[in-house]
Amino acid sequence: MAEPRITNALKFRPFDIIFLLFVSDLAFGKIHYSIREEMESGAFVGNVAEDLGLDIRRLSARKFRLAPADKRKCLEVNFETGILFMNERIDREQLCGQMPACVLSFEIFVEEPLEMYRGEVEILDINDNSPSFPESVILLQMAESMAPRSRFPLESALDADVGTNAVTVYNISPNEHFGLKVETAEDGTKIVQLLLEKPLDRERLLSFQLMLTATDGGSPRKSGTARILITVLDINDNAPAFDRNVYKVSLIENSPRGTLVVSVHATDADEGSNAEVTYSLSNRVSQKIQELFSLDPRTGEIRVQGTIDYEEDDNYSLDVQAADNGSPAIGGHSKVLVKVIDVNDNAPEIVLKSVASRIPEDAAPGTVTALINVIDRDSGKNGQMHCEIPKNVPFKLQTTSSGHYKVITSDMLDRETTPLYNIAILARDSGSPPLSTNKTIQIMVSDINDNAPRFARPMDTVYVMENNAPGASIFAVTAFDPDQDHNSYITYSFTDNLIHDLPLSNYLNLNSMNGTFYALRSFDYERVKNFQIQVQARDAGVPPLSSSATLNVVILDQNDNAPVIVSPSAQSGSAGVEAVPQSAGQGYFATKIIATDADSGQNARLVYQVLKATDPSLFIVGLNSGEIRTARGILEQDSTTQSLVILVKDNGQPSLTSTATIHFSILGNVTEIFSESRNLVTNPEYGSDINLYLIVILGSTSFIFLVTIILLIGIKCKQDRNSPEVYNPPTCCYGLDDSNNAFDPRPTLKTSFNYTGAGEIIPDTHHYSVCLSPESAQSDFLFLKPYTPPMSQGQC
């Protein structure tokens, strides 16, 4: 809509445009235009973009905009061409009244980089108003005794124009008695007085009718007229006279109602009623002044009756007249000039011109974040302002011109420390007392990728229970990135190390988005007890940042292995056979149950119990040692064959068990055997020869023990080869003699157990070597003796 109006203005009234341009600095320039009033809406003012040297093609991209200095939107700019034009028809008198200069201020903003230019358009007056008098007829009464050179104030003509277009000349129609006396007051107004040049003679002429003409200085000139009707009287020939022609007073603004401004005083040389004076304000005093001030007609006191505002008007002129009570009444005139003294009643006003909503945290010191204007309507010290912001923020104020400031960064920013700044701007004037205004601007700090992901601990330990279900989540890692948005999006990965010659990826899978590890197979504590994982966390910034952590994964044992009975061993359901002499007393060591458990901790802590026995009162087993001893002496009536079922139980939850069956053969001495044989012969049930029985008994016993020893040796060697990590395998080798550590060349079957079922080292008294005696070829017995394990592995 703006461009057609501009085109029409250029087409019809190009001669009305006056153009002036002044440019100061690049960042904060100022341009000045002048244009006549009464221009049509859309009238061309100037091309702001060209005058400021801006690239017209980039106006839209740089967000070219105009900001009027006040609420009146008289000006408009075309954002494509940069042409400034009038948005409406302007009447200078309506806009600025009688002000000598009528100026419309504006500001131009462009961004990238941020620049501001100030400008103003001066509205030039044209002679579009004719002078006019308040009253078309002026009535005067004059005594015939008035002396020549007497003056009679007349109402001044009013002209809404200013300067040369205002009233400059007064004329009166030609006559022989009266002339005009025109004076210029201190406030620049014209005081017109009718001057009596020749004495009056009422008998010759009772009245006069004159024409008063006011002419302005415009081109073409315009004028206005008023008729003066003078009646000649021959009484009361003395007018009241004020003691001063001009009263000059000062008045503090915001003075309360009823405050005395000044008392005027006039005297009249006449006597009686002709000397009684009444005061009043002249008709030339404007309605506004009459609302602000009151005049007591009897005392002449002028008092405040309205609100005096220095910012609205700093001085007032009151025309006061004193009239006597004569007939006709005669008046005298004086002027009261009131100068208003400013008080500090206006706080500074902070106007935000432009504020950056976001600023990157890597912005260099000196980056402009906001433009502000500070205005104070007071004057003098009351209008002198000081602006500041807190010192605990990385921002500072920079003055560009009077009342104009830039908010710039003074230090580096860190979004992770402070993502948002509320900057309180304080403006304070120099009045007494000073007045201040606060305004807060909010600036957000945008993120850059300046922080790598961080693990809570660079090295940590996690625990995983063995026999876990494949595919289940077993643990998770978490890294934290204090950055924002995509700079904080973290993905996880791990280094594919080897675990027992297999890649780690065969055991674990990692969810790269949330850091959760999933098991691809079950872990076996007895095979893998611990391993390490190198985990890396990487963000999605540009460039991406990463960090790593080391995880020690510890496999926790479950009670998934039952105790294994090593000695005595049993094959194909057969049980071990032990020989006990009948002469054995209480506490006799018969044999020892040796068992191991592949688990660890409480899961491998073993206890031994007698589950079943031929004679429960004959043998007892050590709860922790597994040693089987006689609970009492062997009696003759005891059976020669005893069986024990031993239960071996670990301490897991739930516990696992194994059993072993041991047969004991009670052997008497030879004499007893022969005696028993003789008794058997006498028994009708046993009719065989005693020698035959003796041979059978001795042969059977020897054969049983020989077979048992051979089976034990074979089973122990086979078990040791199958479980090398649990205990030291039994080996057939040459060893050290326990008594003197000398080398024993005899072949010895030796089984050494370094750990108990609970995973503790067995004391030396609990270590045994099973050895064949040198006479093993002829002997059927096993000899048990304590064995001390060698210092290094692999030595017998």
Side-chain angles (χ1 to χ4, degrees):
M1 297 298 293
E3 291 185 359
R5 292 199 294 269
I6 295 173
T7 303
N8 293 336
L10 291 174
K11 180 177 181 181
F12 294 109
R13 301 183 64 182
F15 54 90
D16 287 332
I17 300 171
I18 300 175
F19 170 78
L20 298 173
L21 174 63
F22 301 93
V23 179
S24 59
D25 56 85
L26 292 176
F28 290 88
K30 183 175 181 180
I31 53 179
H32 178 88
Y33 298 95
S34 295
I35 188 170
R36 295 181 184 275
E37 66 170 324
E38 302 295 337
M39 297 288 288
E40 295 292 333
S41 175
F44 174 86
V45 178
N47 193 314
V48 178
E50 291 182 356
D51 297 338
L52 294 177
L54 301 176
D55 188 354
I56 297 178
R57 294 170 297 177
R58 297 190 64 237
L59 292 181
S60 178
R62 294 189 63 186
K63 298 181 180 179
F64 177 84
R65 67 183 188 275
L66 177 141
D70 53 24
K71 297 181 180 179
R72 296 173 296 188
K73 298 184 178 180
C74 302
L75 300 173
E76 195 65 56
V77 69
N78 187 305
F79 301 126
E80 300 295 333
T81 63
I83 293 177
L84 181 68
F85 59 93
M86 303 304 296
N87 195 34
E88 61 186 24
R89 188 186 186 96
I90 293 180
D91 185 351
R92 183 193 181 282
E93 288 71 32
Q94 182 180 358
L95 183 65
C96 300
Q98 294 294 314
M99 294 179 60
C102 184
V103 175
L104 296 176
S105 298
F106 63 90
E107 293 174 340
I108 296 294
F109 292 89
V110 290
E111 298 181 4
E112 301 178 358
L114 181 61
E115 294 178 342
M116 183 196 76
Y117 302 90
R118 290 182 290 121
E120 57 185 24
V121 177
E122 182 180 6
I123 308 302
L124 302 178
D125 183 51
I126 63 174
N127 194 22
D128 57 341
N129 292 282
S130 299
S132 63
F133 288 90
E135 297 178 354
S136 60
V137 178
I138 302 173
L139 300 177
L140 296 177
Q141 291 181 337
M142 298 182 186
E144 62 177 348
S145 60
M146 295 293 296
R149 309 304 299 176
S150 295
R151 300 179 183 182
F152 302 90
L154 301 176
E155 298 288 342
S156 299
L158 302 177
D159 194 336
D161 297 325
V162 295
T164 59
N165 295 325
V167 175
T168 57
V169 178
Y170 286 89
N171 295 303
I172 195 171
S173 57
N175 67 92
E176 61 177 336
H177 288 278
F178 298 96
L180 288 179
K181 179 68 174 179
V182 181
E183 296 178 347
T184 302
E186 291 184 3
D187 59 355
T189 60
K190 301 289 186 179
I191 300 175
V192 183
Q193 296 175 327
L194 185 64
L195 180 65
L196 181 60
E197 297 179 343
K198 184 178 179 179
L200 298 175
D201 186 357
R202 183 176 179 277
E203 285 69 24
R204 289 183 57 189
L205 191 59
L206 296 177
S207 63
F208 296 88
Q209 183 172 330
L210 305 175
M211 187 64 69
L212 179 63
T213 302
T215 306
D216 62 26
S219 179
R221 292 177 178 270
K222 293 185 178 184
S223 61
T225 60
R227 288 189 304 153
I228 302 175
L229 299 179
I230 303 173
T231 302
V232 180
L233 304 175
D234 61 349
I235 57 175
N236 194 24
D237 56 349
N238 289 289
F242 286 92
D243 52 5
R244 281 185 286 179
N245 292 329
V246 178
Y247 294 87
K248 295 181 179 180
V249 295
S250 297
L251 179 65
I252 298 176
E253 71 169 321
N254 301 326
S255 295
R257 298 176 186 272
T259 300
L260 179 64
V261 180
V262 67
S263 292
V264 296
H265 181 68
T267 59
D268 195 312
D270 296 325
E271 292 182 356
S273 62
N274 292 332
E276 294 178 0
V277 178
T278 301
Y279 302 95
S280 63
L281 294 176
S282 170
N283 292 333
R284 291 185 298 174
V285 177
S286 66
Q287 183 65 30
K288 178 180 179 181
I289 294 178
Q290 294 182 28
E291 293 174 355
L292 294 177
F293 301 96
S294 64
L295 173 60
D296 191 304
R298 306 304 301 173
T299 63
E301 292 180 350
I302 299 177
R303 294 183 180 273
V304 176
Q305 71 173 4
T307 302
I308 307 300
D309 189 358
Y310 174 88
E311 287 71 41
E312 186 173 341
D313 204 339
D314 59 354
N315 62 80
Y316 298 94
S317 177
L318 287 76
D319 291 325
V320 182
Q321 63 184 13
D324 57 27
N325 289 333
S327 181
I330 300 177
H333 296 267
S334 181
K335 185 178 289 292
V336 178
L337 298 179
V338 180
K339 181 179 181 182
V340 181
I341 300 175
D342 182 43
V343 296
N344 193 26
D345 60 341
N346 291 280
E349 181 183 357
I350 300 174
V351 181
L352 299 179
K353 292 299 183 182
S354 180
V355 179
S357 59
R358 287 180 175 271
I359 183 171
E361 60 179 321
D362 60 347
T367 301
V368 179
T369 60
L371 296 176
I372 62 174
N373 288 358
V374 182
I375 304 170
D376 196 317
R377 297 177 59 198
D378 295 322
S379 62
K381 286 188 176 181
N382 297 330
Q384 294 178 0
M385 298 165 295
H386 174 69
C387 197
E388 62 183 21
I389 61 177
K391 296 183 179 180
N392 59 348
V393 295
F395 297 89
K396 65 180 181 180
L397 282 177
Q398 187 178 81
T399 305
T400 58
S401 60
S402 178
H404 294 78
Y405 299 88
K406 292 191 296 187
V407 180
I408 63 175
T409 58
S410 60
D411 203 348
M412 297 301 295
L413 306 177
D414 185 6
R415 189 204 65 83
E416 289 71 38
T417 302
T418 308
L420 176 66
Y421 288 94
N422 290 310
I423 304 175
I425 303 173
L426 172 65
R428 181 189 295 110
D429 60 28
S430 299
S432 180
L435 300 179
S436 62
T437 300
N438 286 282
K439 187 176 285 291
T440 300
I441 61 175
Q442 190 176 81
I443 297 178
M444 299 184 67
V445 182
S446 59
D447 184 54
I448 64 170
N449 192 28
D450 56 346
N451 291 278
R454 295 196 301 267
F455 289 94
R457 289 183 293 271
M459 181 170 288
D460 203 354
T461 301
V462 296
Y463 299 90
V464 178
M465 188 68 68
E466 69 169 328
N467 301 320
N468 54 286
S473 169
I474 54 175
F475 59 86
V477 294
T478 303
F480 171 73
D481 194 320
D483 291 324
Q484 196 176 35
D485 298 331
H486 65 276
N487 294 329
S488 64
Y489 295 156
I490 300 175
T491 56
Y492 301 88
S493 62
F494 67 92
T495 304
D496 200 6
N497 300 325
L498 293 178
I499 301 178
H500 284 251
D501 300 329
L502 287 177
L504 184 59
S505 57
N506 286 13
Y507 290 86
L508 297 174
N509 184 32
L510 172 62
N511 187 321
S512 62
M513 302 306 295
N514 58 23
T516 301
F517 279 88
Y518 296 90
L520 298 179
R521 60 175 64 185
S522 296
F523 287 101
D524 186 1
Y525 171 84
E526 288 70 41
R527 187 169 185 271
V528 177
K529 291 181 173 57
N530 60 75
F531 57 89
Q532 282 191 345
I533 305 176
Q534 294 291 331
V535 184
Q536 183 186 66
R538 183 186 183 94
D539 61 30
V542 179
L545 302 177
S546 63
S547 63
S548 60
T550 300
L551 296 179
N552 292 316
V553 181
V554 177
I555 308 301
L556 300 179
D557 182 45
Q558 276 189 330
N559 193 27
D560 57 346
N561 291 279
V564 176
I565 299 175
V566 178
S567 176
S569 61
Q571 289 183 345
S572 301
S574 62
V577 179
E578 300 290 343
V580 178
Q582 191 173 16
S583 60
Q586 180 180 358
Y588 177 81
F589 177 80
T591 187
K592 180 183 174 97
I593 299 295
I594 300 176
T596 62
D597 197 312
D599 296 321
S600 64
Q602 292 295 324
N603 296 329
R605 185 175 179 181
L606 305 180
V607 294
Y608 303 85
Q609 299 175 0
V610 176
L611 184 63
K612 186 177 180 182
T614 303
D615 186 350
S617 66
L618 184 56
F619 293 98
I620 59 174
V621 62
L623 182 66
N624 297 314
S625 65
E627 294 180 351
I628 300 176
R629 298 178 182 272
T630 57
R632 57 177 176 79
I634 299 176
L635 303 178
E636 292 183 358
Q637 61 268 27
D638 291 333
S639 174
T640 59
T641 301
Q642 298 285 337
S643 296
L644 289 179
V645 178
I646 305 299
L647 174 70
V648 183
K649 180 173 65 174
D650 59 30
N651 203 32
Q653 293 294 332
S655 62
L656 301 178
T657 60
S658 296
T659 59
T661 302
I662 302 177
H663 299 287
F664 291 97
S665 178
I666 308 300
L667 300 180
N669 53 40
V670 177
T671 305
E672 293 173 342
I673 294 175
F674 277 104
S675 174
E676 184 178 348
S677 299
R678 285 193 297 269
N679 293 331
L680 290 174
V681 172
T682 60
N683 193 329
E685 185 178 357
Y686 299 97
S688 302
D689 186 27
I690 191 173
N691 292 329
L692 179 61
Y693 283 98
L694 181 60
I695 293 172
V696 171
I697 292 172
L698 293 177
S700 299
T701 302
S702 300
F703 178 79
I704 291 173
F705 276 93
L706 180 61
V707 171
T708 300
I709 292 174
I710 294 173
L711 291 176
L712 286 174
I713 294 173
I715 292 173
K716 289 177 183 285
C717 292
K718 181 178 181 180
Q719 290 177 345
D720 293 339
R721 284 193 302 269
N722 294 335
S723 56
E725 295 181 1
V726 179
Y727 59 89
N728 293 330
T731 56
C732 297
C733 61
Y734 293 99
L736 296 176
D737 183 66
D738 293 332
S739 60
N740 53 14
N741 293 333
F743 181 78
D744 190 352
R746 296 175 297 173
T748 304
L749 177 63
K750 181 170 59 178
T751 303
S752 176
F753 299 93
N754 293 330
Y755 294 89
T756 67
E760 301 174 353
I761 298 177
I762 301 175
D764 291 343
T765 58
H766 292 170
H767 287 258
Y768 295 90
S769 293
V770 181
C771 301
L772 295 178
S773 65
E775 298 81 16
S776 59
Q778 294 84 17
S779 176
D780 298 325
F781 297 96
L782 288 175
F783 296 91
L784 300 177
K785 63 179 180 178
Y787 170 70
T788 302
M791 296 300 293
S792 60
Q793 201 172 18
Q795 185 179 5
C796 296

